[in-house]
């Protein structure tokens, strides 16, 4: 079960995770801020991935992305995300919207204030970064907390991503082992609690540092959790040597 904090009430809402009927989601992308738009998109994508990786289905539309100005800041927007006008979103979803992902303070949110859980996404200041470095930096803080994308923060995200990819490529050279079930369970539980991506990233750092765990187990753990995070952690397999 997904438990999401509703930005309207401050209470926690339990969502049926799209197994009996698709979860209807609309991402309302704000105009004029590439970084803020990217944060809304990333939050929405992690929500979609979490639902689908746990056996659910999503009907998704993104409103306003054509005016957001974030361009290719994420490298490539998630393929599953379809940009739609308000009327197209209403027609395409053809039912009550369960979740609206909205930038805090966005006065252009076209949604009915009484419709669905509102997932607030905090403001972002500072520069942009190409590709998945930005995605990782955005996932490193609670989605509601204001975030400054200063060069040191972006550099830290880039180094973390490079380290993980190198480690995963090296672990892939070793015999496969079952993933670390207790750690995976804890990370999936964090995602079910209001998409707590910072807790997941910290847990991956912890698992990666546990040299007593077989490399094959760490590989399977990272590869599995990348289904939720979308960081292409296996991209360097075959191209890295000790």
């Amino acid at each position: 079960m997904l438990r999401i904090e509703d930005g309207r009430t401050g209470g926690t809402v339990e969502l049926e995770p799209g197994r009996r009927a698709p979860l209807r989601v609309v991402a309302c992308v704000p105009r004029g801020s590439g970084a803020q738009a990217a944060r809304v998109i990333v939050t929405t994508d992690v929500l979609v991935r979490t639902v689908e990786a746990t056996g659910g289905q999503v009907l998704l539309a993104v409103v306003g992305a054509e005016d957001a100005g974030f361009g290719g800041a994420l490298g490539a927007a998630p393929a599953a995300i379809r940009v739609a006008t308000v009327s197209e979103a209403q027609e395409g979803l053809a039912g009550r919207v369960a979740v609206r992902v909205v930038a805090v303070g966005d006065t252009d949110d076209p949604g009915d204030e009484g419709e669905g859980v509102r997932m607030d996404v905090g403001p972002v200041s500072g520069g942009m970064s190409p590709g998945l470095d930005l995605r990782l930096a955005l996932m490193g803080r609670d989605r509601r907390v204001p975030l400054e994308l200063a060069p040191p923060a972006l550099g830290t995200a880039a180094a973390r991503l490079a380290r993980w990819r190198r480690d995963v490529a090296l672990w892939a050279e070793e015999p496969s082992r079952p993933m670390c079930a207790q750690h995976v369970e804890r990370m999936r539980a964090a995602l079910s609690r209001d998409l707590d991506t910072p807790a997941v990233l910290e847990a991956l750092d912890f698992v990666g540092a546990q040299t007593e765990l077989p490399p094959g187990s760490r590989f399977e753990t990272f590869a599995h959790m990348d289904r939720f995070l979308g960081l292409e952690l296996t991209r360097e397999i075959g191209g890295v040597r000790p």
Side-chain angles (χ1 to χ4, degrees):
M1 187 69 69
L2 284 168
R3 297 183 296 280
I4 302 295
E5 180 183 293
D6 190 338
R8 297 188 183 95
T9 67
T12 299
V13 178
E14 291 191 347
L15 298 174
E16 167 59 39
R19 296 193 181 98
R20 291 183 294 184
L23 192 73
R24 291 174 166 83
V25 177
V26 173
C28 302
V29 181
R31 300 180 182 182
S33 170
Q36 181 74 79
R39 198 176 194 185
V40 170
I41 289 288
V42 167
T43 300
T44 304
D45 188 48
V46 174
L47 173 64
V48 171
R49 287 171 176 271
T50 299
V51 171
E52 293 182 340
T54 53
Q57 305 174 69
V58 176
L59 287 176
L60 172 67
V62 176
V63 177
E66 66 277 12
D67 300 318
F70 67 93
L74 296 180
I81 287 185
R82 179 179 71 85
V83 178
T85 65
V86 177
S87 60
E88 287 173 340
Q90 291 170 342
E91 179 180 354
L93 296 176
R96 180 177 175 80
V97 172
V99 182
R100 305 188 73 85
V101 186
V102 179
V104 172
D106 181 15
T107 58
D108 293 328
D109 174 16
D112 176 0
E113 280 299 309
E115 185 181 39
V117 176
R118 192 183 77 200
M119 290 189 69
D120 286 342
V121 177
V124 184
S125 59
M128 296 282 281
S129 175
L132 297 175
D133 298 350
L134 173 62
R135 182 182 180 94
L136 180 55
L138 292 172
M139 289 193 294
R141 294 290 298 275
D142 183 291
R143 62 175 171 81
R144 292 154 296 209
V145 175
L147 175 62
E148 182 179 359
L149 291 175
L154 292 170
T156 297
R160 191 185 207 180
L161 183 57
R163 182 180 74 251
W164 282 353
R165 285 177 175 168
R166 176 179 172 81
D167 286 346
V168 167
L170 293 174
W171 297 332
E173 301 290 330
E174 302 294 331
S176 179
R177 293 288 187 272
M179 60 187 175
C180 309
Q182 66 183 39
H183 297 297
V184 169
E185 182 179 353
R186 187 171 76 247
M187 287 185 274
R188 290 179 61 150
L191 288 172
S192 73
R193 296 190 306 270
D194 205 32
L195 296 186
D196 189 356
T197 53
V200 175
L201 302 184
E202 290 176 6
L204 284 176
D205 275 334
F206 178 82
V207 171
Q210 300 309 297
T211 55
E212 72 275 12
L213 293 173
S217 293
R218 286 182 282 172
F219 169 80
E220 295 294 346
T221 299
F222 273 66
H224 176 78
M225 292 311 302
D226 199 34
R227 295 173 58 194
F228 299 83
L229 302 176
L231 293 169
E232 299 181 7
L233 296 180
T234 61
R235 193 168 75 181
E236 303 298 328
I237 291 177
V240 173
R241 291 291 180 269

